[in-house]
Each structure stands twice: as C-alpha cells, then as structure tokens.
Amino acid sequence: MKRYFLMVSVVVIACLLAPAYDARGQGKKIRFWSDQSEPWQQDVIKEMIQDFQSSHPGVQVEVEYIGWKDRQAKMTAALAAQDVPEVALLSSQYATSLPAQGALESLDDVMKELGGPDAFFGAYRALASYQGHSYSLPYSALPGGMW
C-alpha cells in the first residue's frame, strides 16, 4: 500500500507543483499544506519534494502539516484572509466545497495530462469534479469495512 501511495502521490504532487516553475528558469516559493499525519507519509512527501526541487532549481517548496482536527478551521481562516497555499493535499470533502466557494483553480489541464477523467474510476472522478471541471485529483481509495 505504501508503494502505491508513493507512486500515485509522486505523479499528483509533481503535476501540481510543476506549473509553479517559470519557463525562463526563475522559480518561486510554493506553500504546500498536507493533512497526512503518519510519519511514513511525511517521509514520502519530504522525499518527493526534495526530488522535485532537485529537478526544478529555483523552486522552493515549504510544507506545512495540518492536523485532521485543525484543517477545517485553518482552511476557513485562510480563505477569509485570502491567504491560501498554492497546493494542498486534503481529504475529499474539500474537493467540492472549495470549488463551490470559488477557492480552487480548475485542474482540467492536469487531468488531461494524466489521461483524462476516464483514467479514473467513476466514483473517484465524481469526488474530484464540480460542475463538469476537475478541481482535485483522486490519489487514493480507502476500503470501508463493517463488523
């Protein structure tokens, strides 16, 4: 499972961070929020950011880990202050609520690069879209269980 997470996340994070790289060779600072709290998840993200920065000189990624219990308040405050990060790795509940507030840019071009919406299973594709546009990218699926 960790290996699958790593492979999918590398693609997703690279696609999301790549537009921040200026084609003239100049970079910028990217704020990246994540609610991934497990140490192994943070190690994977740290490694991916190091790989990305190595291949994109001049781009500095600053990651901030947000606890599950704090993420709604932090996102609400950031939206109110109009001080949101450039990239956020958050749970699916934000995939439709943030676009409805006009807080996300469309990722239709990134989705197209990844094979288009049909490259994703229908339910996950639906969670990543709002009014016919992609505003997030599905990167994992969690099985539910009953006992």
Side-chain angles (χ1 to χ4, degrees):
M1 182 63 171
K2 290 181 185 180
R3 185 177 192 113
Y4 179 73
F5 174 81
L6 171 64
M7 290 187 298
V8 174
S9 295
V10 167
V11 172
V12 171
I13 292 174
C15 288
L16 294 175
L17 296 180
Y21 185 72
D22 188 313
R24 297 178 306 240
Q26 298 175 12
K28 65 182 269 184
K29 188 179 293 185
I30 299 170
R31 289 183 304 155
F32 173 56
W33 287 1
S34 174
D35 63 4
Q36 303 297 303
S37 59
E38 294 294 324
W40 72 266
Q41 292 170 318
Q42 293 179 4
D43 289 344
V44 169
I45 290 171
K46 189 181 301 182
E47 187 176 317
M48 289 186 298
I49 289 172
Q50 289 171 349
D51 290 346
F52 177 82
Q53 289 178 155
S54 293
S55 62
H56 296 85
V59 178
Q60 180 66 36
V61 180
E62 292 180 352
V63 64
E64 182 178 345
Y65 297 102
I66 303 167
W68 279 78
K69 63 180 173 72
D70 302 323
R71 62 189 172 159
Q72 182 67 43
K74 186 160 183 77
M75 187 61 73
T76 301
L79 288 168
Q82 295 183 342
D83 187 28
V84 295
E86 286 77 17
V87 179
L89 180 59
L90 301 169
S91 65
S92 61
Q93 75 186 53
Y94 298 100
T96 54
S97 65
L98 292 176
Q101 297 175 44
L104 296 180
E105 291 187 36
S106 169
L107 295 176
D108 289 341
D109 56 337
V110 176
M111 180 66 82
K112 184 176 179 181
E113 287 180 39
L114 294 174
D118 291 335
F120 297 91
F121 182 69
Y124 304 112
R125 181 178 57 228
L127 287 172
S129 64
Y130 176 74
Q131 294 185 342
H133 296 281
S134 298
Y135 288 93
S136 65
L137 299 171
Y139 70 94
S140 69
L142 301 174
M146 297 177 68
W147 59 93

